[in-house]
Amino acid sequence: MTKETSSLLFNSIAPVYGLFYNVQKKRFTEVIEGVENELDLSSFKTIIDIGCGTGALCSVLNGKGLSVTGIDPANKMLEIARNKQKNKEINFIQADVLEGLPFEDNSFDIAIASYVAHGLKTEERKRMYVEMSRVTEEWVVIYDYNDKRSLLITIIEWLEGGDYFHFIRNAEPEMRDCVSEMKSCFSEVKVINVDTRAAWYICKPFV
């Protein structure tokens, strides 16, 4: 899928994503609170949400007391996010992580990307990992599928034509061994299953 096609798709389906906003917030809250013993996000000050969509995760993170920046290449997604009353304190920026983020090194304590990685090709994921590592001081969290497939997800991902099948087979070693443009992505990776078919890949930025 080309960049133009992807942007058109996500702009067109933004209203549909908006319908699930409250459901997403509830689930994000459950997951974040469920991993507090492993990584307590509320103990940090700043966080960037890569591919924030309509801002559900950003809203939960803001409610946990973090200063939140959300980026997404789809402007229609960001319009919905900005129009949510509880999101007024969140900084939403139209940007594409694959083209480089408009932030200096170590600008944020934490970076998180929710269900973004599996939709990218291998080299695109590596570029995302390097850029997330660059702007982050403490931890990078890749929140995405683990290797437990369901029939429905298999059909949906096959129709979307993303890299889901390769990603779920190789996610952890890919992150551990990730090198892009002669730069190592992470110095360590820890995997925590947060649902039957989802995991947090908690990665230490490479210094």
Side-chain angles (χ1 to χ4, degrees):
M1 186 182 296
T2 66
K3 175 187 172 184
E4 291 75 15
T5 303
S6 177
S7 179
L8 180 63
L9 172 64
F10 282 101
N11 275 313
S12 65
I13 64 176
V16 178
Y17 267 68
L19 296 175
F20 296 96
Y21 181 83
N22 289 330
V23 173
Q24 288 178 318
K25 282 192 64 173
K26 182 176 183 294
R27 184 58 193 143
F28 283 137
T29 300
E30 292 171 349
V31 169
I32 289 171
E33 293 178 352
V35 300
E36 283 182 349
N37 289 336
E38 299 285 350
L39 182 64
D40 184 1
L41 295 185
S42 64
S43 66
F44 299 95
K45 294 181 180 179
T46 59
I47 191 166
I48 182 169
D49 180 7
I50 306 295
C52 66
T54 56
L57 177 55
C58 288
S59 183
V60 173
L61 295 168
N62 183 61
K64 295 290 182 181
L66 287 97
S67 175
V68 183
T69 297
I71 71 141
D72 201 282
N75 191 51
K76 295 295 184 182
M77 292 281 193
L78 296 176
E79 286 181 4
I80 294 173
R82 292 186 183 109
N83 286 331
K84 298 293 183 181
Q85 185 61 39
K86 292 185 177 180
N87 289 351
K88 300 304 180 184
E89 296 178 353
I90 300 169
N91 184 27
F92 290 107
I93 298 173
Q94 186 174 17
D96 188 340
V97 68
L98 300 181
E99 296 179 354
L101 298 173
F103 307 105
E104 296 181 356
D105 295 356
N106 304 321
S107 292
F108 303 93
D109 295 332
I110 304 281
I112 189 167
S114 174
Y115 290 99
V116 175
H118 77 275
L120 303 175
K121 300 301 182 184
T122 301
E123 289 306 313
E124 292 176 328
R125 280 197 295 274
K126 290 181 179 180
R127 293 210 308 272
M128 182 179 81
Y129 298 156
V130 165
E131 189 64 357
M132 291 177 73
S133 182
R134 181 187 70 78
V135 301
T136 308
E137 188 167 9
E138 298 291 345
W139 297 102
V140 170
V141 178
I142 307 299
Y143 177 14
D144 218 300
Y145 294 113
N146 58 24
D147 60 356
K148 304 297 190 297
R149 288 166 50 181
S150 73
L151 179 60
L152 178 60
I153 293 174
T154 297
I155 293 171
I156 291 173
E157 294 300 330
W158 178 78
L159 291 172
E160 286 187 357
D163 203 34
Y164 164 78
F165 300 101
H166 177 81
F167 173 80
I168 63 172
R169 290 194 300 268
N170 300 281
E172 183 179 357
E174 182 180 273
M175 292 176 202
R176 289 189 185 280
D177 302 330
C178 175
V179 175
S180 179
E181 298 179 355
M182 304 302 292
K183 298 178 182 178
S184 295
C185 304
F186 308 118
S187 59
E188 62 179 90
V189 178
K190 181 178 182 179
V191 183
I192 302 172
N193 287 315
V194 296
D195 203 342
T196 303
R197 297 181 180 87
W200 272 26
Y201 303 87
I202 303 175
C203 310
K204 192 68 175 176
F206 197 89
V207 180

